Amino acid sequence: MPHPKKPVRYGIVGLGQVSMKGHVPELLNIPDARITALCDPSDEARAQAAERLPGATVYQDYDQLLANDAVDVVL
């Protein structure tokens, strides 16, 4: 019996237009992709991204995101 495919868990550093209008919509269309962490120095950008992706952990400092064991890939 084949093993079920594990989702790839993504962290996104930088929540500007490229990420929010490009990376995020594309990742949301990939069945095995999960956005688990977000990072940006802007309070406004973090708040908007957290509203759109309520299951993701949000960071101001990317070192904290990189230390998150729930992230496999960082964009």
Side-chain angles (χ1 to χ4, degrees):
M1 176 183 249
H3 294 285
K5 192 172 185 180
K6 287 176 55 177
V8 177
R9 302 167 301 173
Y10 286 83
I12 299 175
V13 176
L15 303 172
Q17 288 189 23
V18 171
S19 290
M20 298 311 293
K21 291 185 177 182
H23 300 316
V24 169
E26 291 299 324
L27 287 172
L28 292 175
N29 283 324
I30 299 172
D32 295 323
R34 302 290 180 270
I35 300 172
T36 57
L38 305 165
C39 179
D40 199 283
S42 165
D43 293 338
E44 182 179 346
R46 287 193 315 273
Q48 289 176 355
E51 185 176 311
R52 184 165 180 193
L53 301 160
T57 304
V58 182
Y59 300 99
Q60 184 175 9
D61 182 320
Y62 70 88
D63 286 322
Q64 293 174 328
L65 181 145
L66 294 175
N68 184 337
D69 289 338
V71 174
D72 300 314
V73 178
V74 176
L75 294 175

